[in-house]
Amino acid sequence: MVTLGGVRTQVGIIGAGPAGLLLSRMLAVQGIESVVLENRSRDYVEARIRAGILEQHTVNTLREVGMGARLDREGLEHDGIYLQYPGTRHKLDFPELCGRNVWIYGQSEVVKDLIAAQLDDGPPLLFEVSDVQPRDVDTDSPSIAFTDADGVAQVLECDVVAGTDGFHGVSRPIVTAATQGTVWERTYPFAWLGILADVAPSTDDLIYAWHPDGFAMHSMRSPSVSRLYIQVDPTEKIEDWSDDRIWEALATRMALPGWELQTGPVTEKSILPMRSFVSSPMRHGRLFLAGDAAHIVPPTGAKGLNLAVADVTLLAQALVRLLAEKETDLVDAYSDKALARVWRCTHFSWWMTSMLHTHGDDFDAQLQLSQLQRVCSSEAAARELAEMYTGLPVAL
């Protein structure tokens, strides 16, 4: 338990999402101390429904830090995806195309595993803190002021601050203001209506379907739980979409002769607006950004969680070198290295989103169909998609 007065650690981490928790774990394995501060409750953090597709590198990283047991036991390994347009469903075989796979294992499950390990024998993790404020990050002795769950004002002194507190967190505005940084943003003219349903998946691999009515996707969370999405207008209200209306739209958009969509009780549904966002640089002094604090991508390319893992892999290496070896080369290169990969993945997410979601006029629709047909008929085009989807090297 962190108490007021004389509190010190090597790395103060703001935010207990997957980026912050995994960074703490990776540092602990290397003998670097940290404290994680989170403004939400444990129940809230563990219940957040987010991404569910893990790249090969993400799976390898979780295994390397001792977080692979439940993933290996309950995760679903997938060797490809289906691309669909009316009358055609084409399988992209990832091992054949690029020698890698992906796994289905919900982000909420990754977070649960990391929290359990952190609270068991890991570094301190404090929930329900407030008034969090990084201080003196442009010096070699930064600190984090905060109020703990009991209402006691505290100061955590540290050598480095990691801002893994998401788009709405306190870290990014400090970096942007101090560096006169640049923010790029693209808001898409559509959203995803997503559901969780207690029904066995109707497919062995994920289906990405283009349809004149809008995009649809069939994913899964387990052998008995399906995760499905349809493209809707961002102004749509969830209460206007009954379960029957959702299932009808899904069945229409993924229709294929000889195949039937199985339906079941809907246990959760929500509407997710879609946008791309990148903030540069990802560092100011001793304050480093990672994950959603620095970038957000639309979910079509399955890159959000995986980008966060890549960020903290680079950051952990850089901080170990800084704190254990007193060398600054990796921390000085961190922002540029991370952003090089971020922009490639942002492009892939934009490309997948633009290819699969109906927008514009009939001319745009024909361009999309032409691109889909190219990916389904060209090994070179299919390999490019497979390499991006299963994950680029962490350092480009």
Side-chain angles (χ1 to χ4, degrees):
M1 174 66 70
V2 176
T3 58
L4 183 62
V7 181
R8 189 170 220 307
T9 192
Q10 290 176 285
V11 182
I13 300 174
I14 305 173
L21 292 167
L22 182 57
L23 176 61
S24 180
R25 183 75 181 183
M26 296 176 79
L27 292 173
V29 169
Q30 297 294 316
I32 302 297
E33 298 175 351
S34 66
V35 173
V36 182
L37 306 175
E38 169 58 46
N39 67 343
R40 302 285 193 172
S41 68
R42 178 181 180 179
D43 288 345
Y44 180 93
V45 171
E46 292 185 341
R48 284 186 291 205
I49 301 296
R50 292 291 188 272
I53 299 173
L54 306 184
E55 296 174 357
Q56 183 84 58
H57 166 264
T58 297
V59 172
N60 293 345
T61 300
L62 291 169
R63 288 170 174 164
E64 287 168 4
V65 296
M67 292 288 99
R70 194 161 73 95
L71 187 159
D72 288 334
R73 188 170 62 250
E74 300 178 15
L76 306 176
E77 186 174 4
H78 283 262
D79 61 6
I81 61 172
Y82 292 104
L83 290 181
Q84 178 172 325
Y85 49 92
T88 300
R89 181 178 293 171
H90 179 79
K91 172 73 175 285
L92 298 185
D93 188 312
F94 290 161
E96 183 178 293
L97 289 165
C98 66
R100 296 192 294 272
N101 284 340
V102 294
W103 278 255
I104 303 292
Y105 190 67
Q107 177 173 315
S108 58
E109 303 309 309
V110 174
V111 168
K112 289 175 186 176
D113 294 344
L114 288 166
I115 288 176
Q118 193 96 355
L119 296 179
D120 183 21
D121 61 356
L125 166 58
L126 280 69
F127 290 104
E128 299 183 80
V129 305
S130 58
D131 303 320
V132 177
Q133 187 62 44
R135 295 176 174 174
D136 301 321
V137 297
D138 54 351
T139 74
D140 291 340
S141 301
S143 63
I144 306 172
F146 67 97
T147 302
D148 67 21
D150 295 324
V152 179
Q154 301 204 40
V155 176
L156 175 67
E157 297 178 355
C158 44
D159 299 307
V160 169
V161 177
T164 60
D165 47 346
F167 178 80
H168 297 290
V170 300
S171 302
R172 180 180 54 82
I174 294 173
V175 174
T176 302
T179 61
Q180 297 184 328
T182 304
V183 172
W184 294 269
E185 190 165 9
R186 164 87 34 105
T187 300
Y188 296 91
F190 32 75
W192 274 13
L193 190 159
I195 64 168
L196 278 173
D198 285 339
V199 59
S202 304
T203 177
D204 56 341
D205 280 313
L206 284 73
I207 301 170
Y208 287 77
W210 183 97
H211 189 274
D213 290 351
F215 169 75
M217 178 180 176
H218 191 326
S219 182
M220 61 282 294
R221 284 294 180 266
S222 75
S224 60
V225 177
S226 295
R227 181 71 161 155
L228 305 105
Y229 303 92
I230 53 173
Q231 174 187 344
V232 297
D233 189 278
T235 62
E236 290 277 3
K237 300 184 183 305
I238 196 68
E239 55 266 25
D240 294 333
W241 284 84
S242 66
D243 294 358
D244 288 343
R245 184 186 178 191
I246 295 170
W247 285 120
E248 182 180 355
L250 286 164
T252 298
R253 298 182 192 189
M254 288 190 286
L256 192 74
W259 179 85
E260 184 177 356
L261 176 67
Q262 301 300 313
T263 64
V266 174
T267 59
E268 187 270 338
K269 56 184 174 181
S270 60
I271 292 179
L272 173 68
M274 301 183 71
R275 61 185 175 134
S276 296
F277 163 84
V278 180
S279 180
S280 174
M282 292 172 60
R283 174 202 181 184
H284 168 57
R286 291 290 182 105
L287 172 58
F288 298 83
L289 304 180
D292 286 358
H295 44 74
I296 294 172
V297 291
T300 325
K303 291 289 158 250
L305 170 60
N306 296 294
L307 269 175
V309 173
D311 285 351
V312 298
T313 299
L314 289 173
L315 185 54
Q317 294 169 351
L319 295 182
V320 169
R321 187 158 172 80
L322 173 68
L323 299 174
E325 303 173 25
K326 308 305 179 185
E327 297 290 341
T328 64
D329 55 336
L330 295 186
V331 292
D332 290 340
Y334 167 70
S335 182
D336 288 342
K337 280 189 175 182
L339 284 168
R341 193 177 191 280
V342 166
W343 275 114
R344 286 306 310 138
C345 294
T346 298
H347 177 271
F348 177 68
S349 299
W350 164 84
W351 179 75
M352 286 281 285
T353 301
S354 301
M355 177 174 64
L356 289 162
H357 292 75
T358 55
H359 57 88
D361 55 19
D362 290 342
F363 184 87
D364 295 295
Q366 292 304 312
L367 291 176
Q368 291 175 311
L369 290 170
S370 175
Q371 181 64 65
L372 281 165
Q373 290 160 1
R374 167 68 176 171
V375 174
C376 293
S377 62
S378 164
E379 183 177 337
R383 180 176 293 111
E384 172 70 9
L385 189 154
E387 288 178 348
M388 290 296 304
Y389 196 96
T390 58
L392 293 172
V394 171
L396 297 183

